[in-house]
C-alpha cells in the first residue's frame, strides 16, 4: 500500500487535540473535519496509530470518497473503488456501519446492502469467481455521507479504541477513555503537578493521567482487526510497534495523582481498573465526599466528570452537590479546575464563572467543559529543572 490515507474519527469538538497527537506521532494531516481527522501514512502508521493515539475512536483506511445522490450512482462509484487492493479472495467483508447527514441517500440499511453488492461485483470480476468463502480475515467497511459526499473507510481497529482493555467493569455514567484523555490534553497539566478527580467513579481520569505520565501507549493491551491483514501488514510490524511502545514506558516516576468518590464500591472498581492498566502504583484512590476535598500542595489540577442528573435519583440534589464542590475548590489556594457536565446551572451553583467554556458532544449528549484557571506556578530555578 505504501502511502495511504487514514481516517481517525474523534469526539465532536476535539479534532484539534487529535490533530496535534497525529502530528506528534510524525504524520502529515490531509484534512480536519467535524468529528474526524484524515492523515497520510503507510502500513506501519496503521499499527502505530492504533497503539499510540489516545484520542482517536478508531483508525480507518480511506478506500475513497465520491458524490452520490442516487442508489445507482452509489453502486457504480463503490464498484469503481480498488477493493482488490485491500481484500483478498477469502476475505470477509461487509458494510458494518453507514451514517448519513443532510444527504439524499439516508437509509443506512439500503446504503449497506447496495455497497456490499457493488463490492462483490468488483471482486467477482477481479478474482474471476462467483462465490466468496469469506472464511479469512475481516475487512469491515464504514461509510459516512455528508451533504451527498460519500466517504468510505475500512476499519483497522475493530472494537472502538476507547476500549483500552483495562476497564471491564464501569461505575455509573462512565466517561470514555478517549474523551477523558482528550480533556486532560486540553489542560496544561504535567506529571510534576498534582492531579485530583473528586468524582472519579471507575477511575478513568486518574488512570488516563497516569498512563500519560508513565508514557504507556493506550493500545498495548488489546487486539485490532488489522492484525489479521497479513496480505497488507506483516505480523512482525505489529510486534515492532509493541516493542517501540514498551521501550518508551517510564513507570518508575514520582507523581501525585488521586481519585476520590463518595461510593466505596466504585473505588474498588477503580483500583481494579488501575491494576489492569498497570498504573495502580501511581494513583491514590480514596472513598471521600467532595465536601472533604483538600490538599496541602499548591498549583494542583482538578479534572472531573461530576454527576449531572443521569446518575442521581433526582436532579434536586445537584445544586447542593455543585455548591459543595465550589466551596471546596475555593479553599484550594492557587488550584485550577476542569469539569465536563451537561448540567446547565453548573457555574451558578459552583459559585464562579468559568474562564473558558467549551461545548463537547459526549455521544449524543451535549456537555460543557468548564475551565476555571488558577495562577501559574513560579518558574523553577534552572538547576531544579
Amino acid at each position: 500500500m505504501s502511502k495511504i490515507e487514514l481516517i481517525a474519527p474523534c469526539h465532536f469538538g476535539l479534532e484539534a487535540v487529535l490533530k496535534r497527537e497525529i502530528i506528534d506521532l510524525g504524520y502529515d494531516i490531509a484534512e480536519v473535519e467535524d468529528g474526524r481527522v484524515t492523515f497520510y501514512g503507510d502500513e506501519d502508521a496503521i499499527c502505530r496509530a492504533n497503539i499510540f493515539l489516545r484520542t482517536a475512536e478508531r483508525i480507518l483506511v480511506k478506500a475513497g470518497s465520491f458524490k452520490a445522490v442516487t442508489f445507482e450512482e452509489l453502486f457504480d462509484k463503490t464498484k469503481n473503488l480498488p477493493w482488490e487492493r485491500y481484500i483478498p479472495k477469502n476475505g470477509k467483508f461487509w458494510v458494518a456501519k453507514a451514517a448519513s447527514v443532510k444527504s439524499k441517500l439516508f437509509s443506512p440499511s439500503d446504503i449497506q446492502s447496495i455497497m456490499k453488492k457493488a463490492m462483490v461485483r468488483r471482486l467477482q470480476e477481479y478474482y474471476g469467481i462467483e462465490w466468496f468463502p469469506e472464511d479469512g480475515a475481516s475487512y469491515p467497511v464504514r461509510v459516512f455521507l455528508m451533504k451527498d459526499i460519500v466517504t468510505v473507510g475500512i476499519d483497522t481497529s475493530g472494537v472502538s479504541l476507547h476500549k483500552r482493555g483495562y476497564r471491564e467493569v464501569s461505575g455509573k455514567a462512565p466517561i470514555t477513555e478517549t474523551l477523558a484523555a482528550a480533556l486532560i490534553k486540553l489542560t496544561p497539566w504535567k506529571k510534576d503537578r498534582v492531579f485530583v478527580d473528586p468524582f472519579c467513579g471507575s477511575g478513568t481520569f486518574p488512570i488516563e493521567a497516569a498512563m500519560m505520565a508513565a508514557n504507556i501507549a493506550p493500545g498495548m493491551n488489546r487486539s485490532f482487526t488489522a492484525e489479521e491483514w497479513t496480505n497488507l501488514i506483516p505480523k512482525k510490524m505489529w510486534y515492532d510497534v509493541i516493542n517501540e511502545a514498551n521501550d518508551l514506558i517510564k513507570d518508575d516516576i514520582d507523581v501525585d495523582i488521586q481519585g476520590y468518590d463518595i461510593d466505596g464500591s466504585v473505588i474498588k472498581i477503580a483500583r481494579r481498573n488501575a491494576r489492569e492498566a498497570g498504573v495502580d502504583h501511581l494513583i491514590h484512590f480514596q472513598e471521600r465526599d467532595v465536601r472533604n476535598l483538600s490538599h496541602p500542595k499548591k498549583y494542583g489540577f482538578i479534572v472531573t466528570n461530576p454527576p449531572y442528573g443521569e446518575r442521581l435519583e433526582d436532579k434536586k440534589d445537584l445544586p447542593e452537590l455543585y455548591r459543595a464542590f465550589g466551596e471546596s475548590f475555593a479553599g484550594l489556594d492557587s488550584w485550577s479546575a476542569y469539569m465536563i457536565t451537561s448540567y446547565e446551572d453548573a457555574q451558578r451553583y459552583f459559585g464562579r464563572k468559568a474562564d473558558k467554556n467549551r461545548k463537547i458532544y459526549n455521544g449524543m449528549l451535549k456537555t460543557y467543559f468548564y475551565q476555571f484557571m488558577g495562577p501559574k506556578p513560579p518558574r523553577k530555578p534552572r538547576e531544579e529543572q
Side-chain angles (χ1 to χ4, degrees), residues 25 53 72 103 109 132 199 213 216 230 280 354 360 365:
L25 206 53
L53 291 179
E72 184 179 5
S103 298
S109 59
F132 292 93
F199 302 98
I216 297 172
T230 50
D280 51 314
I360 293 166
L365 184 67

Side-chain angles (χ1 to χ4, degrees), residues 145-332:
L145 284 75
M146 168 61 91
K147 295 180 179 177
D148 300 322
I149 300 299
V150 184
T151 302
V152 187
I154 309 174
D155 183 14
T156 74
S157 304
V159 176
S160 173
L161 293 180
H162 80 264
K163 299 278 190 182
R164 313 286 205 219
Y166 67 72
R167 193 171 75 174
E168 294 303 316
V169 183
S170 297
K172 289 172 279 186
I175 192 165
T176 66
E177 293 84 336
T178 45
L179 179 55
L183 295 178
I184 294 169
K185 283 179 172 289
L186 281 176
T187 79
W189 177 75
K190 296 287 184 287
K191 62 185 176 185
D192 60 342
R193 306 275 290 277
V194 185
F195 182 103
V196 174
D197 180 357
F199 302 98
C200 74
S202 56
T204 309
F205 271 127
I207 292 169
E208 290 295 318
M211 289 177 72
M212 288 182 196
N215 211 20
I216 297 172
M220 286 185 65
N221 295 313
R222 53 158 289 167
S223 58
F224 308 96
T225 296
E227 285 180 62
E228 304 305 317
W229 295 3
T230 50
N231 61 316
L232 302 174
I233 308 169
K235 279 278 191 186
K236 182 178 183 297
M237 202 171 273
W238 290 99
Y239 296 130
D240 288 346
V241 176
I242 290 291
N243 287 337
E244 177 191 353
N246 270 312
D247 290 343
L248 292 170
I249 294 173
K250 293 184 175 65
D251 66 350
D252 56 344
I253 51 174
D254 184 23
V255 292
D256 190 343
I257 300 173
Q258 303 190 28
Y260 310 139
D261 202 285
I262 196 170
D263 185 346
S265 64
V266 298
I267 288 295
K268 289 177 182 174
I269 292 169
R271 289 192 180 116
R272 184 165 67 234
N273 291 341
R275 263 197 315 276
E276 289 294 322
V279 293
D280 51 314
H281 62 298
L282 301 176
I283 307 171
H284 173 68
F285 286 111
Q286 187 179 40
E287 183 179 340
R288 185 190 287 198
D289 193 310
V290 72
R291 292 169 182 79
N292 301 321
L293 174 61
S294 63
H295 200 289
K297 294 180 185 174
K298 293 168 74 76
Y299 306 108
F301 283 78
I302 293 170
V303 184
T304 192
N305 173 38
Y308 33 84
E310 281 74 11
R311 67 180 198 176
L312 285 184
E313 292 299 320
D314 197 328
K315 283 185 183 270
K316 71 181 188 319
D317 296 324
L318 292 178
E320 179 53 36
L321 183 129
Y322 279 81
R323 188 180 290 113
F325 181 22
E327 289 171 357
S328 293
F329 174 64
L332 287 166

